């Protein structure tokens, strides 16, 4: 027994000994939660941050890889609280008004170059959401862009379960024509959207009652037929039980209030409002509900419900006490969320610290993963990005992106790989052309003989 | 009626059994016999009696009542088994691929006739396989197929079908053979219209099947006081699947799709087979416990160089590694069959040969088209080898069956010889439509100018020469991409001297277009000389 | 109190005119003499002037430098700590032509059909669009407003972002003929090719589109000759008429092509018709640099903040193009090609600077270079005596997001920085 324990200890120790240690020195470290450190160091041991502080206070462990980041900035990996990257097939199961049974987790794909490009913009983590075609969409997935690893390693395993709701023009199919022969779908108004959500939870309560009844009968030893296990209703029930966080797409202030009311009536919580372009009009109410907001800074006027979108939205919500993040909803924008954060300084006067939080610790809190990511703190995941300069400057770019202590993007490595990949492509195409020519010749030869 | 009699006529002409209806007694002699169950036997004899194999060996006596088939230097094999086809069912409407816009042609195309398979759909009961269709397989030595539709999600229960004469029912070796499932989203706005919807739909359906069985069990034990469960053909049909009596065939090509199929199978403890498996080369280690039907319809490169160069390395790499899947699986000890999949019968052997070119041995290829598929579908006691007592599906080829120019000479199914109609092999590499000699007329202000050009096309590059009213010489800068032909000639006569660049569109044997000269641009037209 | 009254007034205005601009101009039509002193002045065409003075009067710049006499009637602005730049120029967007993208009734960018050379942006510019104040508030004082869609989309207009009528806004009408060069596919082949028949159809459509374009240009050439020969007794054709200045090389053909194959085809087309051309978009421009250089064709790059077209493309493909053109000595400008967010034009340029383009070149790519390419550098694009007083005053580098634009002058008029956005901001900041 003792022997086994000792052996286990030995294995544990050797595992630690093998852990890779990287130290970034001499950088401006933007910790997010504890201010900025000039001439600071970050020590990454294995997948975690082991130490952070002024260079003078940090000793470099033996065998550590040391990166001199003089003149450079280090910040935590950016978190995108609204992504549709790395999804195979449609992001919408658009056939029904409530498709809470479908799961993004089932269809994630690692063959998505957008993930790599986002790493090159310092983004490491995202909430991958179902689309907004229906009032209640599918279950979303929180994941890291572990480009090059099998997709099974991308999700953050213990992250909260989440689901997408959607209000307004999209679920009411305002800008969408059904295919020929398919009748217009319900709902077509914001009234209908509200009804769909309310009814879904009314049904879920009935569903739970049916199971309670069955279980009671079983307990009493009475014969009972098990009810149907309905994946949609199970999802709704889990929302009611607080086991799934709701992130809802919305634009107009009236529908924001509507959702907060329905949630209140039905007894569940809205974790965040997504897009929430008119959030500034009802910021008090959002703050009172303890609901977060993930929004764009720029996008306005692309549809009627976005006509009152203003770049000051983030500032107004932040000042009203709403936990706010800036997110992308776009594989392009997800490469530069730091810049959208900077715009919140320009429009409404957030401080640099507040701005940086918009794409780091705030979304981490909104997604319920802030104990792991979102700031440079000892014990957190070593998701760290080295920038050539201040990430709030438009002239800065990413040098290196780490996830859990491993390099997933590095500019110099990228430049080298370009050549290699181009060579491989040329070689393969050449080989293929030769093969095709040979095959053609063979076929011709056969025809002559035949 | 008209259609029916025509079919009957075709049947008469094409596939008259050699000895009327009754399967006779045959002795196949003088060939190299490949029993698959053992080493090859030079000069071996295969005796067939009333549809079954009576004996196989070197020194086997030829029965007195036997008709001798002299295989004279040829090769004798068990009939091949193509374990994944959709023969007998309309081919599905093509789907746009990821990243490709739906083109108008695809949209306009009528979708397949309304078979709406469900778990309860029995392929055997609905398949319509004309003798003509069957001949496509028999001609290449395939005497048994596994078939089911592929258009929906639950495609119903497939059948192992012998390609003999007569009604399908008489030819079924095993039905149901497997429950066939594809990850096909339905048309937009019909649940499930996304891949994630399909997976949720499968998960819910299997849960329902479990619940259905459980409910029935409770009810049947003692119905008193209980609400009667609804009856459901679909869920009843899934009962043997849930009991692991009937395997599922998941159509899955990419590694990620295969893993999705595996996750569902694990979640519900299902017995399953993977079909397609293009990216099997990436995950052989995780396929050791799963029978795999590797489709040999290998991805082909785009026709033009520009398209090829624009494609991602990922796709090119995959396209080139896909044909190594069989050899990689063979090395890892995975049980796999080679199937035509979504391909045409005519492409089956080309695909198999490509697998052989990529490291698979001919012996392994033979097992993967005979014994292994028979074993995967549980019919290896009847099919897959030349052994006493097995069904007399026997083929004779003039050369080893997978050799490049091998030809199948004789085919016996259920001990009856099938006479194959001679059919010209489809032109596989038709000459380019631009290839040949063209008589062109250019309409110039001064009158018509005649020019004869002879063109040779290779990989989109056009070479050749010209002669006529404006001198002669070689053409240059020639390109052709299926319809657009371009080339330049140098004209040396007087005012028109300079480069003439032809830009035309080829339709059948005609071409129309414009010539750009230093005098301006003029129309030209022409036709190919026969 | 005053504030409260103002917000009520603003609210009333909002409810009256939802889609029309409701900002109140500062001093409409007044173009007095201004002098900005003690500022760092960036003329763009010359070295920055620390502690400089710029004077402009009646809409025109009258003096720039350190030893500049300030006229006695001048309104003096203390520019301490501030920087003065020429107004930025967006070399291609849709400002003025669109209001709410999904509401067809508010969008005038895209005419029906493939060949619309006669469609002219200035006809449909809405001077009261809410996009105009939003764009100029970030320092953009002129944009090339471009029709889109089809093969020949129409003719753009270079407009300044202030004025009561389209005519007052137009700096140059018929600035260019916009041709979206036919493409085989809407996006490069990303997966295995589709079935053969669809591929054939694709090629057929592509060839047909090319033929259509060529045919129309040939017709236009013939038309131009015929029109010249029989100036009086001649049946006019609006479509061909619109192309005459293009085939005669007087108006630039602005040809949008992005993939190398399409740019090559576009160059052949340019050669064939001997066009005065500007290449637009040009995502794959790098391998074609020698070809462009040889023909002396300028390029309008952008949008820069867009994903590269192919999976295998370097992540910075679009960021790095400007540096390559600069090194090769090819004239280029940067456009946003945006509408609501054309205000982000300077950040498109900044990304190029982050990836190798010198910072001063990035600034030129949105000031003097577009002016040169569009043939209006005698009037706008730099701070020089005699040029139109399109001037912005900032608290820093306008290519930095965190920089604020403090003052905007267009045609010498002091332009309000109010926008629909600031109005809503003020209104809801005051919500009790």
């Amino acid at each position: 027994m003792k022997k086994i324990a000792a052996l286990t200890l030995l294995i544990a120790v050797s595992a630690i000994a093998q852990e890779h240690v990287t130290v970034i020195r001499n950088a401006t470290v933007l910790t997010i939660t504890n201010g900025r450190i000039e001439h600071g160091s970050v020590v990454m041991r294995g997948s975690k941050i082991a130490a952070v502080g002024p260079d003078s206070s940090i000793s470099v462990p033996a065998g550590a890889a040391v990166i001199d980041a003089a003149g450079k900035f280090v910040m935590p990996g950016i978190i995108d609280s609204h992504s549709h990257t790395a999804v195979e097939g449609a992001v919408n199961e658009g056939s029904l008004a409530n498709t809470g049974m479908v799961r993004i987790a089932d269809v994630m794909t690692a063959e998505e170059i957008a993930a790599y490009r986002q790493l090159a913009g310092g983004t490491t983590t995202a909430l991958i959401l179902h689309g907004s075609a229906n009032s209640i969409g599918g279950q979303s997935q929180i994941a890291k862009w572990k480009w090059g690893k099998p997709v099974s390693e991308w999700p953050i395993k213990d992250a909260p379960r989440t689901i997408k709701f959607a209000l307004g023009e999209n679920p009411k199919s305002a800008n969408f024509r059904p295919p020929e022969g398919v009748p217009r779908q319900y709902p077509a108004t914001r009234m209908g959207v509200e009804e769909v959500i309310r009814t879904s939870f009314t049904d879920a309560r009935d569903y739970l009652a049916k199971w309670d009844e069955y279980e009671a009968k079983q307990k009493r030893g009475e014969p009972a037929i098990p009810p149907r296990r309905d994946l949609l209703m199970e999802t709704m029930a889990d929302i009611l039980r607080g086991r799934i966080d709701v992130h809802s797409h919305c634009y107009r202030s009236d529908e924001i209030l509507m959702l907060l009311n329905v949630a209140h009536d039905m007894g569940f919580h809205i974790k965040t409002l997504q897009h929430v372009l008119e959030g500034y009009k009802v910021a008090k109410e959002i703050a009172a509900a303890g609901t977060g907001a993930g929004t764009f800074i720029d996008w306005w006027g692309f549809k009627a419900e976005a006509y009152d979108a203003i770049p000051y939205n983030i500032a107004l919500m932040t000042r009203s006490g709403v936990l706010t993040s800036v997110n992308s909803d776009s594989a392009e924008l997800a490469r530069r969320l730091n810049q959208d954060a900077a715009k919140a300084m320009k429009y409404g006067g957030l401080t640099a610290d507040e701005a940086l939080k918009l794409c780091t610790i705030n979304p981490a809190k909104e997604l319920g993963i802030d104990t792991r990511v979102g700031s440079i703190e000892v014990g957190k995941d070593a998701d760290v990005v080295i920038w050539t300069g201040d990430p709030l400057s438009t002239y800065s770019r990413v040098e290196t992106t780490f996830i859990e202590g491993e390099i997933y993007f590095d500019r110099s490595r990228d430049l080298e790989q370009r050549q290699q990949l181009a060579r491989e492509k040329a070689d393969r195409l050449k080989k293929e052309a030769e093969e095709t020519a040979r095959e053609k010749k063979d076929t011709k030869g056969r025809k002559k003989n035949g | 009626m008209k259609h029916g009699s025509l079919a009957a006529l075709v049947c008469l002409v094409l596939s008259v059994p050699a000895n009327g209806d009754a399967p006779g007694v045959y002795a196949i002699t003088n060939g190299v016999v490949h029993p698959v169950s053992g080493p090859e036997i030079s000069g071996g004899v295969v005796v067939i009696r009333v549809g079954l194999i009576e004996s196989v060996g070197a020194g086997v006596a030829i029965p007195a009542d036997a008709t001798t088939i002299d295989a004279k230097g040829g090769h004798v094999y068990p009939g091949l088994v193509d374990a994944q086809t959709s023969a007998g069912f309309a081919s599905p409407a093509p789907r746009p691929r990821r990243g490709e816009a739906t083109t108008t042609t695809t949209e306009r195309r009528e979708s397949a006739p309304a078979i709406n398979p469900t778990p309860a759909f029995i392929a055997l009961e609905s398949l319509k396989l004309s003798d003509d269709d069957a001949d496509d397989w028999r001609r290449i030595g395939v005497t048994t197929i596994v078939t089911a539709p592929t258009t929906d999600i639950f495609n119903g229960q497939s059948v192992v079908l012998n390609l003999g004469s007569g009604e399908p029912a008489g030819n079924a070796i095993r039905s149901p053979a497997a429950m066939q499932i594809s990850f096909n989203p339905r048309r937009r706005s019909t649940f499930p219209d996304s891949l994630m919807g399909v997976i949720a739909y499968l998960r819910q359906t299997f849960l329902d099947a479990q619940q259905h069985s459980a409910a029935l069990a409770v009810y049947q034990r003692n119905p008193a006081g209980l609400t009667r469960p609804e009856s459901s053909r679909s869920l009843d049909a899934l009962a043997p699947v849930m009991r692991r009596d009937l395997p599922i065939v998941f159509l899955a090509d990419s590694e990620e799709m295969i893993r999705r199929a595996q996750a569902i199978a694990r979640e519900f403890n299902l017995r399953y087979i993977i079909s397609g498996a293009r990216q099997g080369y990436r995950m052989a280690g995780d396929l050791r416990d799963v029978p795999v039907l590797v489709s040999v319809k290998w991805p082909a490169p785009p026709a033009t160089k520009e398209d090829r160069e624009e494609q991602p390395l990922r796709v090119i790499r995959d396209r080139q590694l896909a044909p190594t899947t069989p050899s990689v699986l063979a090395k890892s000890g995975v049980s796999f069959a080679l199937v035509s999949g979504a391909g045409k019968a005519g492409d089956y052997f080309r695909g198999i040969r490509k697998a052989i070119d990529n490291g698979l041995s001919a012996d392994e290829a033979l097992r993967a088209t005979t014994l292994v598929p028979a074993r995967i579908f549980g019919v290896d006691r009847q099919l897959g080898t030349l052994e006493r007592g097995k069904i007399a599906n026997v083929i004779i080829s003039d050369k080893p069956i997978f050799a490049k120019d091998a030809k199948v000479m004789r085919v016996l199914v259920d001990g009856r010889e099938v006479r194959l109609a001679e059919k010209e092999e489809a032109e596989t590499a038709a000459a380019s439509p631009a290839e040949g000699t063209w008589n062109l007329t250019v309409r110039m202000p001064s009158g018509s100018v005649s020019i004869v050009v002879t063109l040779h096309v290779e990989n989109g590059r056009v070479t050749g020469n010209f002669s006529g009213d404006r001198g002669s010489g070689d053409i240059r800068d020639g390109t052709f991409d299926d319809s657009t032909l371009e080339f330049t000639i140098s004209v040396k006569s007087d005012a028109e001297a300079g480069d003439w660049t032809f830009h035309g569109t080829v339709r059948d044997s005609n071409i129309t277009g414009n010539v750009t000269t230093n005098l301006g641009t003029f129309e030209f037209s022409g036709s190919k000389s026969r | 109190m005053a504030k409260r009254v103002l917000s009520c007034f603003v609210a009333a205005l909002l409810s009256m005119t939802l889609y029309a601009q409701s900002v109140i101009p500062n001093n409409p039509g007044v173009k007095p003499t201004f002098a900005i002193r003690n500022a760092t002045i960036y003329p763009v065409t010359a070295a920055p002037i620390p502690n400089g003075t710029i004077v402009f009067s009646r809409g025109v710049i009258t003096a720039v430098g350190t030893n500049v006499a300030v006229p006695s009637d001048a309104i003096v602005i203390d520019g301490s700590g501030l920087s003065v730049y020429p107004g930025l120029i967006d070399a291609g967007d849709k400002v003025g032509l669109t209001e709410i993208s999904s509401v067809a009734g508010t969008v005038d960018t895209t005419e029906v059909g493939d060949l619309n050379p006669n469609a002219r942006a200035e006809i449909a510019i809405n001077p009261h669009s809410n996009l105009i104040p939003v764009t100029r508030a970030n320092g953009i004082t002129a944009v090339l407003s471009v029709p889109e869609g089809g093969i020949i989309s129409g003719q753009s207009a270079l407009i300044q972002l202030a004025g009561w009528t389209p005519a007052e806004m137009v700096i140059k009408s018929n600035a260019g003929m916009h041709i979206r060069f036919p493409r085989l596919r809407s996006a490069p082949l990303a997966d295995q090719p589709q079935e053969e028949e669809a591929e054939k159809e694709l090629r057929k459509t592509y060839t047909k589109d090319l033929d259509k374009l060529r045919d129309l240009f040939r017709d236009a050439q013939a038309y131009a000759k015929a029109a010249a020969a029989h100036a009086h007794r001649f049946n006019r054709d609006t479509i061909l008429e619109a192309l005459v200045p293009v085939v005669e090389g007087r108006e630039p053909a602005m040809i949008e092509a992005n993939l190398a194959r399409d740019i090559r085809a576009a160059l052949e087309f340019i050669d064939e018709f001997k066009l005065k051309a500007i290449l637009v978009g040009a995502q794959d421009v790098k391998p074609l640099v020698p070809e462009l250089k040889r023909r002396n064709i300028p390029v309008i790059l952008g949008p820069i903040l867009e994903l590269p077209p192919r999976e295998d493309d370097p992540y910075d493909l679009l960021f790095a193009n400007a540096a390559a053109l600069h090194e090769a000595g090819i004239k280029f400008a940067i456009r946003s090609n945006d509408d609501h967010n054309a205000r982000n034009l300077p950040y498109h340029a900044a990304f190029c600077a982050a990836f190798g383009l010198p910072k001063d070149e990035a600034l030129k790519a949105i000031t003097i270079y577009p002016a040169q390419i569009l043939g209006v550098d005698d009037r706008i694009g730099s701070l020089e005596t005699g040029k139109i007083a399109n001037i912005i005053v900032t608290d820093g580098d306008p290519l930095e997001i965190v920089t604020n634009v403090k003052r905007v002058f267009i045609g010498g008029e002091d332009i309000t920085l109010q926008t629909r956005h600031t109005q809503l901001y003020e209104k809801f900041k005051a919500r009790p």
Side-chain angles (χ1 to χ4, degrees), chain B residues 94 97-98 100 103 105 109 299-300 302 304 306-307 310-315 319 481 484 505 514 521, chain C residues 184-186 188-195 197-199 201 203 207 211 214 218 259 261 310-312:
Chain B
R97 286 158 194 275
R98 185 157 71 114
E100 277 294 331
T103 66
T105 33
R109 177 169 299 225
T304 68
E306 280 172 329
D307 274 344
E310 265 176 24
Q311 274 191 312
L313 175 58
R314 170 182 62 82
V315 173
R319 176 164 80 220
D481 70 350
T484 306
T505 307
N514 294 297
T521 300
Chain C
L184 178 62
R185 305 169 197 283
S186 54
L189 200 60
D191 227 314
Q192 283 302 105
Q194 49 186 352
E195 41 141 1
E197 203 175 307
E199 283 287 311
E201 188 81 3
R203 270 164 217 289
T207 314
D211 289 348
R214 284 206 159 88
R218 269 183 214 120
L259 301 184
R261 58 159 87 173
R310 283 159 301 234
E311 184 175 321
D312 286 355

Side-chain angles (χ1 to χ4, degrees), chain A residues 108 124-128 141-145 154-156:
Chain A
M108 278 180 56
T124 51
T125 299
L127 172 62
I128 309 168
Q141 181 64 49
I142 298 169
K144 294 193 186 182
W145 297 146
W154 292 28
I156 297 183

